[in-house]
Amino acid sequence: MSTATRQMHLAAHFPGVNNTTVWADPRSGSQIDFSSFEHLARTAERGRFDFFFLAEGLRLREHNGRIHDLDVLGRPESLTVLAALAAVTDRLGLAATVNATFNEPYELARRLATLDHLSEGRAAWNVVTSFDAFTGENFRRGGYLDRADRYTRAAEFVATARELWDTWTPDGTPRPFAHRGQHFAIEGEFTVPRSPQGHPVVIQAGDSPDGREFAASTADIVFTRHGTLESGRAFYADVKARLAKYGREPDQLKIMPGVTFVLGDSDAEAQERAAEIRRRQVSPQNALLALEQVWGRDLSAYDPDGPLPDIDPDPGSSLVQGRVRHGDPLAVAARWRALSEEKGLSIRQTVIETTGRQSFIGSPRTVAEQLTEFVAADAADGFILVPHLTPGGLDDFVDRVVPLLQERGVFRSEYGGPTLRSHLGLAEPVWKG
Amino acid sequence: MPATAPLHLAAEIGGPPRYDPGHYTGLARLAEHGALDFVTLGDSFARPGPDALAVLSRVAPATGRIGLVPTVTTTHTEPFHVASAVATLDWVSRGRAGWYVDVSTTGAEARLFGRRPAAPAGELWREAGDSAEVSARLWDSWEDDAEIRDVATGRFVDRDKLHYIDFEGADFSVRGPAIVPRPPQGHPVTVVDGTGGPARETAARHADVVLVRATTPEQAAAARTDLRRRAAAYGRDPDTLRVLVALTVDLGDAETAPEPGLESGPPLAAGGSYYRGGPVDLAELITRWHRGGAADGFHLTPISPGRDLERIVNGTVALLQHRSLFRTFYPGGTLREHLGLARPANRYALEGGRA
Ligand SMILES: Cc1cc2nc3c(=O)[nH]c(=O)nc-3n(C[C@H](O)[C@H](O)[C@H](O)COP(=O)(O)O)c2cc1C
């Protein structure tokens, strides 16, 4: 296959519980009614997307000891909502983010295998490893796991799930299993036959060296934050290079950054819209909050339209709970200060400049071109698109960009097979009896 | 109970394990065609079969009115996850969810999890009660009007209307609030088999619908009276409890079998006393027991759902409808409405109101 026609994969992320999702827009609908999930999933399927993706958070975020109230809040439980979506879609993959720390392999493997049966081979599992004591307060064991063990547990969890998915023989006879390891000592019989995909597709979304190694050893897809051309290429090369050690080919692990987009009739119009969306995403209240998330300090006395604080961040702060922290706060603060001084930006303007920027902005033609180049340049195998509006945020992309990608021959016009593995070009895992 | 009290009917649609969604959708639609209050789908880690809650979630968009009640064990599961999943079933079904609370008593089930040994039923039913309490609190942890979308102040929710539940029990503690907003029914319907032993206490305290196995109308009436008395002792209004007689039914091959009637064995299917006869005689039995005030309704477990559910709906239910003893259509949209149960007030909103 020549580089010019390299096929891309596309997924739709249901808008999240952070300020990327603009709820103040009059077109913004319910984040919890089934009709919103149905609309987005049907739109993704109309666009022949590989899969539909749901994130997870097991405790409402807190800021300064109080529940964070500025962003969209409240979601359904992923696997249950995906089982319902299996009834209103035919081909679309259905991916659930489910934590490996606060679940048990037997029950979760059973739920995932059930989803794979109910959807006739469209289930995927995004394995995440949040382990903090804050989240643990909602669970039997509390915050029991050391940070260092988050991936040893996750790796053993996935390996155990794969053993369970293999316990029934291909002709449908259950056989007993026994697993004994550092984290799990379990035995008995699995209640579900081998599912249509053999194993549901496994996605991984951690960025640390441990996370990347875990992905290289066992995942089918990596969901990454590296959504710029430069960092995408570096990440892509790094992760793909780790595969050989596990006897795997580069094709067997798809790298899909989460990206945002803004469309307009012209590039200029799209830029204008993008700026307007960023202003909506970063309200004055949200600007102060973003600042506090980096600084780890109460900065409520500062004016969002005034300059950045002189004091330094508190790196050991517990001000923010239940949110994944990205990057070293001191370095981020230094970068923000430099930018603010250079351009004379207020707090809010600085936050808008540094955090809200969308990945792909332009006319449908420009965006289709950029996405194609991105894949051709080995910065990604495809994209997980994060719309900023529920539930209509994907409509324009599917109506206006997808046909151009299809015209270019870089994205499918029809599904080639029934399962998510077939969309991804991944083989069914060999049955290990 | 006045003779005119509405009759409630439910059916189990589980049987030999099936993994194709079409099978379950077909049975649920058939039950919906008969305007039944709800279907249950049994589940256990101890025998082959898919996850029942997921199956009924798959069924939800393909049905419009019927209540959907999967079995969910509280023994090796996380109360927080259970509450989220049941609330989500209520969202995707637009207010038709329930859960049939069960416990896992065997050592074989305990070894699937490897977390703790098997425990006596009494202990497990007390834990099931705690799990039901956690669910109810989590479902209340968002007030109905917590979401405000106030552009002026930039706030999506009013956090004073989100509540920590701070449950501390013998087996677990849960901080809250829920990650799922309050479900459409407020509380999805809690179903417990309260036939005997430690389950009866948990049923009286936490259930909206209690199933009892009985072989005579007198036995059923006694269980109903006992459950209502115990519920009242917990400060509940006994009229918020629906007691259904659980029957395993074998409608055989003939319109009327030679010896219709009720036997107490053999236990062909899980639980329930055993009825063998024709669909017409079953309608007679239901009519007689219900008129006599023995129960608020019946939960029927066909020994062969593929065969017997059709006979129940087109034979037994059609006859009851013809005699104006059972609804011919759904006047309401939610399972609580079918059962004549009010949407519960939110405990935290009440506390706030009193403060
Ligand atoms: C793109 C992306 C998406 C993620 N989504 C979730 C999520 O939905 N829920 C969650 O609990 N963690 C999520 N995480 C957190 C990761 O699973 C992981 O726990 C975290 O990144 C820490 O692992 P690391 O040290 O390897 O980065 C996400 C991470 C990334 C990079």
mmCIF file of all heavy atoms in Angstrom, chain A residues 50-51 95 124-126 201-205 215 218-224 248 252-256 384 420 424 426:
data_model
loop_
_atom_site.group_PDB
_atom_site.id
_atom_site.type_symbol
_atom_site.label_atom_id
_atom_site.label_comp_id
_atom_site.label_asym_id
_atom_site.label_seq_id
_atom_site.Cartn_x
_atom_site.Cartn_y
_atom_site.Cartn_z
ATOM 1 N N ASP A 50 -15.013 3.493 12.814
ATOM 2 C CA ASP A 50 -14.613 2.221 13.406
ATOM 3 C C ASP A 50 -15.364 1.965 14.706
ATOM 4 O O ASP A 50 -15.891 0.886 14.919
ATOM 5 C CB ASP A 50 -13.104 2.205 13.677
ATOM 6 C CG ASP A 50 -12.299 2.216 12.394
ATOM 7 O OD1 ASP A 50 -12.291 3.264 11.715
ATOM 8 O OD2 ASP A 50 -11.685 1.180 12.062
ATOM 9 N N PHE A 51 -15.368 2.968 15.589
ATOM 10 C CA PHE A 51 -16.027 2.728 16.876
ATOM 11 C C PHE A 51 -16.471 4.013 17.562
ATOM 12 O O PHE A 51 -16.089 5.119 17.182
ATOM 13 C CB PHE A 51 -15.156 1.865 17.808
ATOM 14 C CG PHE A 51 -13.816 2.451 18.196
ATOM 15 C CD1 PHE A 51 -13.658 3.190 19.361
ATOM 16 C CD2 PHE A 51 -12.693 2.210 17.402
ATOM 17 C CE1 PHE A 51 -12.418 3.697 19.731
ATOM 18 C CE2 PHE A 51 -11.438 2.716 17.762
ATOM 19 C CZ PHE A 51 -11.305 3.463 18.939
ATOM 20 N N ALA A 95 -16.884 0.924 22.393
ATOM 21 C CA ALA A 95 -15.734 0.877 23.299
ATOM 22 C C ALA A 95 -16.058 1.511 24.651
ATOM 23 O O ALA A 95 -16.514 2.647 24.717
ATOM 24 C CB ALA A 95 -14.539 1.595 22.664
ATOM 25 N N ALA A 124 -15.195 -3.325 22.667
ATOM 26 C CA ALA A 124 -13.812 -2.949 22.969
ATOM 27 C C ALA A 124 -13.734 -2.450 24.402
ATOM 28 O O ALA A 124 -14.703 -1.911 24.941
ATOM 29 C CB ALA A 124 -13.322 -1.868 22.009
ATOM 30 N N TRP A 125 -12.543 -2.628 24.994
ATOM 31 C CA TRP A 125 -12.327 -2.246 26.390
ATOM 32 C C TRP A 125 -11.107 -1.330 26.467
ATOM 33 O O TRP A 125 -10.008 -1.744 26.111
ATOM 34 C CB TRP A 125 -12.109 -3.512 27.225
ATOM 35 C CG TRP A 125 -11.659 -3.281 28.633
ATOM 36 C CD1 TRP A 125 -11.896 -2.195 29.414
ATOM 37 C CD2 TRP A 125 -10.881 -4.185 29.436
ATOM 38 N NE1 TRP A 125 -11.329 -2.362 30.661
ATOM 39 C CE2 TRP A 125 -10.708 -3.567 30.698
ATOM 40 C CE3 TRP A 125 -10.334 -5.450 29.203
ATOM 41 C CZ2 TRP A 125 -9.985 -4.180 31.728
ATOM 42 C CZ3 TRP A 125 -9.626 -6.057 30.238
ATOM 43 C CH2 TRP A 125 -9.463 -5.427 31.480
ATOM 44 N N ASN A 126 -11.312 -0.115 26.932
ATOM 45 C CA ASN A 126 -10.204 0.794 27.211
ATOM 46 C C ASN A 126 -9.786 0.595 28.664
ATOM 47 O O ASN A 126 -10.502 0.963 29.593
ATOM 48 C CB ASN A 126 -10.650 2.240 26.963
ATOM 49 C CG ASN A 126 -9.555 3.247 27.265
ATOM 50 O OD1 ASN A 126 -8.372 2.944 27.109
ATOM 51 N ND2 ASN A 126 -9.931 4.433 27.720
ATOM 52 N N VAL A 201 -11.691 -6.112 21.566
ATOM 53 C CA VAL A 201 -10.533 -5.270 21.266
ATOM 54 C C VAL A 201 -10.078 -4.568 22.553
ATOM 55 O O VAL A 201 -10.898 -4.108 23.337
ATOM 56 C CB VAL A 201 -10.913 -4.238 20.179
ATOM 57 C CG1 VAL A 201 -9.862 -3.138 20.058
ATOM 58 C CG2 VAL A 201 -11.127 -4.952 18.845
ATOM 59 N N VAL A 202 -8.756 -4.519 22.769
ATOM 60 C CA VAL A 202 -8.216 -3.894 23.982
ATOM 61 C C VAL A 202 -7.537 -2.561 23.631
ATOM 62 O O VAL A 202 -6.686 -2.501 22.738
ATOM 63 C CB VAL A 202 -7.224 -4.833 24.698
ATOM 64 C CG1 VAL A 202 -6.484 -4.105 25.822
ATOM 65 C CG2 VAL A 202 -7.964 -6.053 25.256
ATOM 66 N N ILE A 203 -7.955 -1.522 24.339
ATOM 67 C CA ILE A 203 -7.409 -0.175 24.143
ATOM 68 C C ILE A 203 -6.658 0.208 25.405
ATOM 69 O O ILE A 203 -7.028 -0.216 26.502
ATOM 70 C CB ILE A 203 -8.550 0.846 23.890
ATOM 71 C CG1 ILE A 203 -9.452 0.360 22.739
ATOM 72 C CG2 ILE A 203 -7.999 2.246 23.587
ATOM 73 C CD1 ILE A 203 -10.694 1.225 22.516
ATOM 74 N N GLN A 204 -5.614 1.024 25.254
ATOM 75 C CA GLN A 204 -4.849 1.473 26.417
ATOM 76 C C GLN A 204 -4.672 2.969 26.308
ATOM 77 O O GLN A 204 -4.501 3.497 25.213
ATOM 78 C CB GLN A 204 -3.498 0.749 26.447
ATOM 79 C CG GLN A 204 -2.714 0.925 27.724
ATOM 80 C CD GLN A 204 -1.924 2.213 27.744
ATOM 81 O OE1 GLN A 204 -1.760 2.856 26.718
ATOM 82 N NE2 GLN A 204 -1.479 2.612 28.919
ATOM 83 N N ALA A 205 -4.722 3.667 27.463
ATOM 84 C CA ALA A 205 -4.679 5.136 27.413
ATOM 85 C C ALA A 205 -3.735 5.756 28.438
ATOM 86 O O ALA A 205 -4.002 6.832 28.932
ATOM 87 C CB ALA A 205 -6.087 5.710 27.591
ATOM 88 N N ALA A 215 0.925 -1.207 26.712
ATOM 89 C CA ALA A 215 0.231 -1.139 25.420
ATOM 90 C C ALA A 215 0.937 -2.021 24.391
ATOM 91 O O ALA A 215 0.302 -2.797 23.678
ATOM 92 C CB ALA A 215 0.168 0.299 24.928
ATOM 93 N N THR A 218 0.264 -5.814 24.941
ATOM 94 C CA THR A 218 -1.032 -6.498 24.892
ATOM 95 C C THR A 218 -2.174 -5.738 24.220
ATOM 96 O O THR A 218 -3.200 -6.337 23.928
ATOM 97 C CB THR A 218 -1.452 -6.913 26.324
ATOM 98 O OG1 THR A 218 -2.466 -7.904 26.246
ATOM 99 C CG2 THR A 218 -1.945 -5.734 27.132
ATOM 100 N N ALA A 219 -2.031 -4.426 23.966
ATOM 101 C CA ALA A 219 -3.187 -3.674 23.459
ATOM 102 C C ALA A 219 -3.321 -3.771 21.943
ATOM 103 O O ALA A 219 -2.355 -4.063 21.236
ATOM 104 C CB ALA A 219 -3.081 -2.213 23.882
ATOM 105 N N ASP A 220 -4.520 -3.494 21.453
ATOM 106 C CA ASP A 220 -4.775 -3.401 20.016
ATOM 107 C C ASP A 220 -4.754 -1.952 19.543
ATOM 108 O O ASP A 220 -4.504 -1.665 18.379
ATOM 109 C CB ASP A 220 -6.150 -3.999 19.688
ATOM 110 C CG ASP A 220 -6.256 -5.456 20.105
ATOM 111 O OD1 ASP A 220 -5.441 -6.264 19.618
ATOM 112 O OD2 ASP A 220 -7.132 -5.781 20.926
ATOM 113 N N ILE A 221 -5.076 -1.026 20.467
ATOM 114 C CA ILE A 221 -5.157 0.401 20.148
ATOM 115 C C ILE A 221 -4.571 1.188 21.310
ATOM 116 O O ILE A 221 -4.773 0.819 22.466
ATOM 117 C CB ILE A 221 -6.630 0.847 19.971
ATOM 118 C CG1 ILE A 221 -7.317 0.091 18.828
ATOM 119 C CG2 ILE A 221 -6.731 2.365 19.746
ATOM 120 C CD1 ILE A 221 -8.817 0.363 18.728
ATOM 121 N N VAL A 222 -3.864 2.269 21.010
ATOM 122 C CA VAL A 222 -3.493 3.226 22.048
ATOM 123 C C VAL A 222 -4.274 4.505 21.812
ATOM 124 O O VAL A 222 -4.293 5.038 20.704
ATOM 125 C CB VAL A 222 -1.986 3.565 22.021
ATOM 126 C CG1 VAL A 222 -1.664 4.594 23.103
ATOM 127 C CG2 VAL A 222 -1.157 2.327 22.225
ATOM 128 N N PHE A 223 -4.933 4.966 22.861
ATOM 129 C CA PHE A 223 -5.620 6.264 22.839
ATOM 130 C C PHE A 223 -4.653 7.242 23.498
ATOM 131 O O PHE A 223 -4.314 7.097 24.661
ATOM 132 C CB PHE A 223 -6.926 6.133 23.622
ATOM 133 C CG PHE A 223 -7.711 7.407 23.795
ATOM 134 C CD1 PHE A 223 -7.576 8.484 22.930
ATOM 135 C CD2 PHE A 223 -8.625 7.516 24.829
ATOM 136 C CE1 PHE A 223 -8.323 9.649 23.092
ATOM 137 C CE2 PHE A 223 -9.376 8.677 25.014
ATOM 138 C CZ PHE A 223 -9.223 9.742 24.142
ATOM 139 N N THR A 224 -4.191 8.234 22.722
ATOM 140 C CA THR A 224 -3.141 9.104 23.246
ATOM 141 C C THR A 224 -3.538 10.575 23.172
ATOM 142 O O THR A 224 -4.420 10.953 22.405
ATOM 143 C CB THR A 224 -1.817 8.880 22.476
ATOM 144 O OG1 THR A 224 -0.928 9.956 22.760
ATOM 145 C CG2 THR A 224 -2.051 8.857 20.972
ATOM 146 N N ARG A 248 5.544 -8.699 17.984
ATOM 147 C CA ARG A 248 4.369 -8.140 17.305
ATOM 148 C C ARG A 248 4.806 -7.225 16.162
ATOM 149 O O ARG A 248 5.859 -6.593 16.214
ATOM 150 C CB ARG A 248 3.505 -7.365 18.301
ATOM 151 C CG ARG A 248 3.050 -8.208 19.494
ATOM 152 C CD ARG A 248 2.193 -7.407 20.449
ATOM 153 N NE ARG A 248 0.880 -7.114 19.868
ATOM 154 C CZ ARG A 248 0.074 -6.145 20.284
ATOM 155 N NH1 ARG A 248 0.449 -5.338 21.268
ATOM 156 N NH2 ARG A 248 -1.098 -5.960 19.725
ATOM 157 N N GLN A 252 -0.128 -4.285 14.244
ATOM 158 C CA GLN A 252 -0.997 -4.938 15.225
ATOM 159 C C GLN A 252 -1.388 -4.019 16.372
ATOM 160 O O GLN A 252 -2.158 -4.415 17.238
ATOM 161 C CB GLN A 252 -0.326 -6.207 15.768
ATOM 162 C CG GLN A 252 -0.237 -7.294 14.724
ATOM 163 C CD GLN A 252 0.501 -8.506 15.258
ATOM 164 O OE1 GLN A 252 1.736 -8.541 15.332
ATOM 165 N NE2 GLN A 252 -0.257 -9.521 15.651
ATOM 166 N N LEU A 253 -0.829 -2.804 16.386
ATOM 167 C CA LEU A 253 -1.208 -1.834 17.417
ATOM 168 C C LEU A 253 -1.497 -0.500 16.722
ATOM 169 O O LEU A 253 -0.608 0.081 16.104
ATOM 170 C CB LEU A 253 -0.065 -1.680 18.432
ATOM 171 C CG LEU A 253 -0.299 -0.667 19.555
ATOM 172 C CD1 LEU A 253 -1.481 -1.085 20.419
ATOM 173 C CD2 LEU A 253 0.950 -0.537 20.425
ATOM 174 N N LYS A 254 -2.739 -0.046 16.818
ATOM 175 C CA LYS A 254 -3.141 1.188 16.141
ATOM 176 C C LYS A 254 -3.012 2.360 17.110
ATOM 177 O O LYS A 254 -3.471 2.275 18.261
ATOM 178 C CB LYS A 254 -4.596 1.101 15.682
ATOM 179 C CG LYS A 254 -4.927 -0.146 14.897
ATOM 180 C CD LYS A 254 -4.201 -0.204 13.564
ATOM 181 C CE LYS A 254 -4.520 -1.509 12.837
ATOM 182 N NZ LYS A 254 -3.631 -1.731 11.693
ATOM 183 N N ILE A 255 -2.430 3.433 16.619
ATOM 184 C CA ILE A 255 -2.251 4.608 17.471
ATOM 185 C C ILE A 255 -3.248 5.685 17.078
ATOM 186 O O ILE A 255 -3.276 6.133 15.929
ATOM 187 C CB ILE A 255 -0.793 5.084 17.392
ATOM 188 C CG1 ILE A 255 0.046 3.950 17.988
ATOM 189 C CG2 ILE A 255 -0.608 6.408 18.129
ATOM 190 C CD1 ILE A 255 1.476 4.242 18.160
ATOM 191 N N MET A 256 -4.088 6.032 18.031
ATOM 192 C CA MET A 256 -5.179 6.970 17.739
ATOM 193 C C MET A 256 -5.214 8.098 18.764
ATOM 194 O O MET A 256 -5.661 7.908 19.891
ATOM 195 C CB MET A 256 -6.516 6.223 17.721
ATOM 196 C CG MET A 256 -6.563 5.125 16.649
ATOM 197 S SD MET A 256 -8.126 4.210 16.583
ATOM 198 C CE MET A 256 -9.222 5.432 15.870
ATOM 199 N N ILE A 384 -9.410 9.653 17.320
ATOM 200 C CA ILE A 384 -10.611 9.596 18.142
ATOM 201 C C ILE A 384 -11.114 11.040 18.229
ATOM 202 O O ILE A 384 -10.494 11.891 18.871
ATOM 203 C CB ILE A 384 -10.316 8.994 19.529
ATOM 204 C CG1 ILE A 384 -9.852 7.533 19.360
ATOM 205 C CG2 ILE A 384 -11.559 9.081 20.425
ATOM 206 C CD1 ILE A 384 -9.586 6.777 20.647
ATOM 207 N N LEU A 420 -15.628 -5.307 14.903
ATOM 208 C CA LEU A 420 -14.688 -4.204 15.087
ATOM 209 C C LEU A 420 -13.283 -4.619 14.649
ATOM 210 O O LEU A 420 -12.559 -3.839 14.026
ATOM 211 C CB LEU A 420 -14.692 -3.757 16.553
ATOM 212 C CG LEU A 420 -13.668 -2.688 16.929
ATOM 213 C CD1 LEU A 420 -13.773 -1.444 16.049
ATOM 214 C CD2 LEU A 420 -13.825 -2.300 18.411
ATOM 215 N N LEU A 424 -10.718 -2.741 11.960
ATOM 216 C CA LEU A 424 -9.362 -2.332 12.316
ATOM 217 C C LEU A 424 -8.300 -3.122 11.567
ATOM 218 O O LEU A 424 -7.108 -2.824 11.671
ATOM 219 C CB LEU A 424 -9.146 -2.505 13.825
ATOM 220 C CG LEU A 424 -9.957 -1.571 14.729
ATOM 221 C CD1 LEU A 424 -9.956 -2.079 16.167
ATOM 222 C CD2 LEU A 424 -9.415 -0.138 14.666
ATOM 223 N N LEU A 426 -7.552 -6.209 12.226
ATOM 224 C CA LEU A 426 -6.847 -7.019 13.226
ATOM 225 C C LEU A 426 -7.348 -8.453 13.160
ATOM 226 O O LEU A 426 -8.551 -8.691 13.047
ATOM 227 C CB LEU A 426 -7.108 -6.482 14.632
ATOM 228 C CG LEU A 426 -6.592 -5.073 14.943
ATOM 229 C CD1 LEU A 426 -7.136 -4.615 16.298
ATOM 230 C CD2 LEU A 426 -5.071 -5.039 14.930
#
